Amino acid sequence: MTPNGNPTNQDDKTKLFQRQEKTVTSDSGRPMVSVILPCLNEEEAIAQTIAEAWQGIEAGGYDGEVVVVDNGSTDRSVALAIESGARVVCEEERGYGAALRRGIREAHGSIGVMADADLTYDLPNLGQVVSKVEEGADLALACRLDGMNRDSMPFLHRLLGTPVLSWMLRRITKGEVVVRDSQSGYRAFNLERIRDLRLQGSGMEFASEMLFQASLNKYKIDEIKLPYRARVGESKLNTFQDGLRHLKL
């Protein structure tokens, strides 16, 4: 450990992971909802994000867990996540998609909720997204578009990137994907059904791949409007590189 409590290597992280995490389980011994948070140096927001995830789990009356997938953090993210009651797993392959794929594999619940660890998403109301899956959707997205502004999302992403990618998905799936916000990172899904898709994306294109593969397999996809806030901490997005990865997919 460094003097400020940061894990210096994988052995340090392993020792931290061995601390008991908070999990609320049902009589069957497994949680119903697994909140999955990919994390790379999010010490400014990770503790509050986890607290909001627990708030949403409890408000919805769910048995649940919070799974943080550390993707190579060098700050105090791991220690703070464990102190906040999350189960932390480590994914060495870098990338948003790689971290989420690991979280989906590791989740113990029947319904997964993926979100970012930067306080952008309305996790205290995660029950609104989860309820769509409970009602029969295989995949439900929280649409951010009505809550976007210059503070919460850059101009190119807000008025060009997300609308264009959403339009392209609607076209190539012949209308099977009808969501307005295809790039939303706040989603609930039937974990078993999503695992069956065998997703491969390692970067931001993972968001499009999930929708594209779900449409090919005739999954029921739903969408709900929820607020979107300005992120806390440094953004990991690369506008042009991430856009090219989506286009290649």
Side-chain angles (χ1 to χ4, degrees), residues 180-195:
R180 295 174 61 213
D181 185 8
S182 66
Q183 302 310 299
S184 172
Y186 189 9
R187 308 178 178 198
F189 40 80
N190 180 309
L191 270 162
E192 184 175 350
R193 296 277 279 168
I194 291 299
R195 289 179 182 129

Side-chain angles (χ1 to χ4, degrees), residues 111-204:
I111 296 176
V113 176
M114 59 180 259
D116 296 336
D118 56 12
L119 290 175
T120 48
Y121 293 117
D122 185 30
L123 284 170
N125 289 308
L126 64 83
Q128 294 184 44
V129 192
V130 171
S131 65
K132 294 292 184 181
V133 180
E134 292 180 293
E135 292 165 5
D138 297 299
L139 170 62
L141 286 73
C143 178
R144 308 164 294 171
L145 298 183
D146 295 332
M148 288 182 180
N149 55 48
R150 67 180 65 185
D151 295 321
S152 61
M153 181 167 288
F155 174 83
L156 283 176
H157 293 200
R158 187 172 76 252
L159 299 181
L160 183 62
T162 294
V164 168
L165 289 171
S166 299
W167 174 81
M168 290 179 65
L169 274 166
R170 288 194 293 271
R171 288 296 301 271
I172 64 175
T173 62
K174 302 185 186 303
E176 291 289 333
V177 174
V178 295
V179 298
R180 295 174 61 213
D181 185 8
S182 66
Q183 302 310 299
S184 172
Y186 189 9
R187 308 178 178 198
F189 40 80
N190 180 309
L191 270 162
E192 184 175 350
R193 296 277 279 168
I194 291 299
R195 289 179 182 129
D196 286 344
L197 296 178
R198 301 185 182 278
L199 302 173
Q200 300 297 317
S202 60
M204 298 302 293

